[in-house]
Amino acid sequence: MATMEGSLSKWTNVMKGWQYRWFVLDDNAGLLSYYTSREKMMRGVRRGCVRLRGAVIGIDDEDDSTFTITVDSKTFHFQARDGDEREKWVRCLEDTILRHVYGYKSESSHSLTIQDFDKKLAEADAYLQILIDQTKAIEARMLTLEAEEKQKCEIICNHANNMLEQMKHTIVLLQIAKNTAHPVNGTYQPLTLTDTSTNKPIDGLSLSVPIEPGVEVGSECQPPTGTKFIHTLTGHSPLALPVTVVPETSYSSSEEEDFYDAHDSSDPPSLSSPVSSTKLGVDVDEADRDTSDELNGQKSACIIPTYLRPDGSLDYDQLYEDCEETNISMESQGSVVTHLLSQVKIGMDLTKVVLPTFILERRSLLEMYADYFAHPDMFVRIADQATEQDRMVQVVKWYLCSYHAGRKSTVAKKPYNPILGEIFQCYWDLQRTDNEETEQSLVVDGPVPWCHGNQLTFIAEQVSHHPPISAFYAEHYNKRISFNAHVWTRSKFLGLSIGVHNIGSGIIDVIDHNEQYVVTFPNGYGRSILTVPWIELGGTVTINCKKTGYKAVLEFLTKPFYGGKKHRITGEVFSPNDKKPFLNIHGEWNGVMEAKWSDGKSEQFANINNLEIIRKNVRPIENQDENESRKLWREVTAGLRLNNVSHASNAKCALEQKQRMEAQQRKELGIPWETKLFQLDADDNWTYVKPLADRLSNTRVNR
């Protein structure tokens, strides 16, 4: 039975492009078949088919007409006429996948027909007979067992008999539902469930329901031999039901026709090449056996010695300072990912979906935002530029070079979702110039009061939980420059990817020139979540200075499936009131970027490979407040670093449960949440309560 049919375009490698095909979705067989034309479909000349059991649908958040189906280690690419048509196909495909994997249909499935009832009755009857036979086999086996083993089997038999009773009633209810929806002649006939191995009624269960003559009930389905035969109550000859032959794997008439994602050295491996597990110096089994000792600070043989202090306690600070691993075992976690995928649909918001712990990065999202300043010298250099144009160009250069440091490994992982009221603070040391004073006074009213004027300081706070909004602020006192931003993240499931939309903005305040540069943020995408996930950025961002009129438009380009490179960037920088840019930028945001000026001159704009990442300084965890990021998440970090996912999951759940309980208490008492470091202004922006510009202004007034 065709659930849906129609024309789509399919990417082929033979023609290196999109080709028209006529598609037929068979919901019962779980097959998406395609033909070169509708006429060929009528003649049964199939070009190929895609098995949908276990398949994963994927869409591109930036392209509203294409979608993919990944199954049998292959990825098929399709293109609909528009977004509405893609939506219809994706929904029907998802319904078919759910039915064949989990045995049910979604609410959007078509209405039931009498054929659907007949098939379900036949399936239920077959399973009932199988369960009867297996139960009898267990009872026969029990006669030969000793007392202890016999007692165990009795428990199984009791459960099996209970299940039998449920199945009997279910079959009766199915028949009642069928006759209620499709009454025949309005007559009621006795319905009896029969054990076909003995031809005797099952427990004498009988109901009066309207029965259509010849409908099978209580019959045994024969083993599949190409055609299924079903006995009927009337004793007539078996009724043959044609069964669509489902191939063992998806195929096309020419294997070279189907497009498979490229696997060059920069691309993630395919489903057919799983990644082996990396132990990271700690045996997983040992870590699981000795969880309580190692994570409570007691010495354990499986802990890497560098994480232990002389007294044998665990050095949590060292756990945070280590670089993220570059490998991840999806083999051992595949069932978790599959379970996650069973809960979500294309386009679903993932805000309330619990993601597997093993894909977490070992730090909070608040700490990740600090990586915008991994090149603090480039940021403070904005204030040193002599002209408005030079300052704008330097803003763009710093901005484009600020993203690569946020990735601690080649594997895409998700930082911890910050707890409401969580705070992270750090600072960077900058090289002093010859004319600077040797002694530096502390900026006690700054965001990090133990830092001096030639250090770039940073502080962040989770100011909202629903929606999840993070606010952060950085300043360099001596250079008179600061940055204030707030970001609201919203995640969306895209099938083979997860898209993270960053909603919010940031303001660079160059105080001595009274210039504010407003920047927006690109979206993030975690690709290939079934194999080795990797990150890319996508979308358009803008940088504007209202005072000077300079503006920039930057485009983070996602990798197209039919070719192209990853991590590409293009940008245009405009002078006030100009329609043509004076500067064009292109390249890779994590590699080399080239600049072309309006006078025809070309030069290297930035080379990420030659930039040194300046390490941020964070005070020891033992000196931190309870709501500071590293102290809050230290047990989760320890569990992940020591390959003890169970401990990490438990610690994470405890934090989240504590947050829920506190929120419930505030709700019951009618107490609103109050932020400590940031406040909401009239424009719905979260601003730092004591920005550098205000403090300097107050100092001048007091003088």
Side-chain angles (χ1 to χ4, degrees), residues 499-527:
V500 180
H501 293 254
N502 292 311
I503 305 168
S505 61
I507 300 177
I508 304 168
D509 193 353
V510 187
I511 298 171
D512 288 344
H513 297 283
N514 195 27
E515 294 173 355
Q516 287 80 40
Y517 297 84
V518 181
V519 305
T520 57
F521 304 101
N523 300 322
Y525 297 93
R527 305 296 193 188

Side-chain angles (χ1 to χ4, degrees), residues 280 282 304 307 319 322-323 362 636-643:
L280 303 174
V282 178
I304 302 175
Y307 297 145
L319 293 175
D322 257 15
C323 294
R362 297 196 308 270
V636 181
T637 300
L640 292 176
R641 185 62 188 89
L642 299 175
N643 276 3

